[in-house]
Amino acid sequence: MYKEAIHTMHINGKAAALFTIFFVVVNPLKEDIFESEHRLQNALMTNYSSTVRPATELDKPVHVQLMLDLMRIDELDATKETMTTTFMLIQTWKDPRLAWNTSHYGGVKSIRLKESSIWRPDIEVANQAPGLSLTSEALPFISYDGTVVYVPYKTVPTYCAMDLTLFPFDTQKCIIKFTPWTHNALEIDLGLFGHYLNTTDQMKIPRESLSDLQWELLEGTATLSSKKFDCCPEKYSFFEVSLQMSRNTNFYRYVVTWPSVVACFLVPFLFAIPSHSSQKIIYGLALMIFESIIILTFAETNSFDHKTVPNIAIFHLITLILTSTSLLLSIFIVSISCGDTRKHVPAWLQRLALTDSCLRTVLCLGQYRDSKGYSSGRGGGFLLEETHETHHHEPELRTISENEVTRDVSESLRAIAEKMSSDESRIKVTQDWREVGRLLDRVLFFLCILTVLVLLIWSARLWSG
């Protein structure tokens, strides 16, 4: 029991010693740091004016170095031709009034002050567009040698001229211009961060932190320029950030592009349906509806009004015209293949469509034969033979038929023969016109395939730039 009490007193003694060291050594040290920063802040802000430039001489400018860290590309609005971006604009300069001797303030080497309490370059976005703009309040970081680092976080819409000809496989180049709003180049001299007093180099914009789903940054550069306005004799400096971006096309590839290609490929098969079938018209109307739905989907996903016309819109228009023309031609072919009464096929058309073996061989149609198995050159002769035979037997029937019954029988036989001849002639004419429609279908099928291939090759060349 006695040993346990001594052990407890020993532990309590160590804790008391540590507690005493904390309050005697550490706590006064913290109080000294807080007091030193407080005294430093009061000393720096004494007789300090936030509207006076930190220039050692009136004729010398304040050198401000800039760097843009792009966080994301929020939106590119094709209708308004604006780009909304979120970025951090890093600004650094030297203010001799904010320098101090670290030995006089407890070794404090840096401090942070409110942005409204010190002088800051009034750098604004020169090509800012109307819209929602956000700027965070940042605390400037001040080093003991008077170096100030100020990093505000901004979301700003800017004007950007866009070319949508290659949509959705397009690349856009937008520029964000920064300039001192009320100071000319003789008062504030802009420079690139890390390129002090060097106005000829370019700075690469970091891409590692960029995370966006619709646009991918291909290249980003920052350059310096100057411009002279008519109102003022002095030049004004500009910090220009150029962003080259490409659109991520996964959504548009599967929703807009591939359905358009499929609809274009389906058009030639309209002429593969038999010429006398009414399903040709149903198939053509279905293609028209399919193409209309694709156009409506395209307009719904890309509701913009722009001065440039995308090539894919021209592709849709050509496909729609091709489908409409094919449907009209199919209606004409069905009408000539399914009519009940019509004249014989003209002789020139018979020679071209029915008896020209070379043309039919090229079109893979083979030799044409009618329902009796005769080729197109003998069909007319057969009908003529039937007619001659009928007229040849007519005198015999008249000589044999001496009474009314015989006369009625002969007339009936003659009517039957004429009806059979007429039916065979009508069937042959119908078959001839169907064969003409079949040949027209085959010709238009190959022409349509050729047109689709040319259209797709042209579109691929345009979309590839």
Side-chain angles (χ1 to χ4, degrees), residues 93-126:
W93 66 92
K94 277 196 174 184
D95 191 341
R97 298 170 297 177
L98 299 178
W100 68 89
N101 191 336
T102 57
S103 60
H104 295 169
Y105 297 96
V108 176
K109 294 184 177 181
S110 62
I111 192 174
R112 290 167 178 81
L113 299 175
K114 290 184 177 181
E115 59 179 1
S116 59
S117 62
I118 66 171
W119 179 90
R120 291 171 295 125
D122 56 342
I123 296 177
E124 300 291 343
V125 180

Side-chain angles (χ1 to χ4, degrees), residues 395-424:
E396 296 181 4
L397 291 174
R398 286 181 178 177
T399 56
I400 295 175
S401 56
E402 298 177 352
N403 51 36
E404 292 184 0
V405 176
T406 307
R407 188 181 303 108
D408 292 339
V409 171
S410 64
E411 290 179 356
S412 299
L413 290 175
R414 183 175 60 184
I416 292 173
E418 291 178 353
K419 182 67 170 61
M420 291 177 61
S421 176
S422 175
D423 289 343
E424 290 178 357

Side-chain angles (χ1 to χ4, degrees), residues 252-278:
Y252 298 100
R253 183 183 293 114
Y254 295 109
V255 175
V256 178
T257 306
W258 283 116
S260 306
V261 175
V262 171
C264 190
F265 265 120
L266 291 177
V267 175
F269 294 98
L270 178 64
F271 301 105
I273 301 175
S275 59
H276 59 279
S277 175
S278 60

Side-chain angles (χ1 to χ4, degrees), residues 135-244:
T135 302
S136 65
E137 294 185 1
L139 295 177
F141 176 85
I142 304 170
S143 183
Y144 68 94
D145 61 349
T147 301
V148 183
V149 179
Y150 178 54
V151 188
Y153 188 86
K154 294 177 176 287
T155 299
V156 179
T158 54
Y159 289 107
C160 176
M162 301 177 65
D163 184 5
L164 301 177
T165 304
L166 300 179
F167 176 88
F169 306 100
D170 55 333
T171 59
Q172 304 296 337
K173 184 178 181 180
C174 300
I175 297 177
I176 308 175
K177 294 184 178 181
F178 299 90
T179 184
W181 199 248
T182 60
H183 294 85
N184 55 47
L186 300 178
E187 296 172 334
I188 293 181
D189 182 29
L190 299 182
L192 302 178
F193 190 83
H195 301 264
Y196 188 64
L197 297 181
N198 186 354
T199 60
T200 58
D201 292 342
Q202 289 186 350
M203 178 191 298
K204 296 293 184 180
I205 302 300
R207 299 174 52 189
E208 291 79 8
S209 59
L210 183 62
S211 177
D212 188 77
L213 296 178
Q214 185 178 6
W215 291 92
E216 179 184 357
L217 180 64
L218 300 178
E219 184 181 8
T221 57
T223 57
L224 297 174
S225 63
S226 59
K227 184 178 180 180
K228 198 173 187 179
F229 297 94
D230 297 335
C231 64
C232 312
E234 300 86 1
K235 290 184 178 181
Y236 286 81
S237 300
F238 286 89
F239 175 72
E240 297 184 358
V241 178
S242 177
L243 304 176
Q244 187 172 3

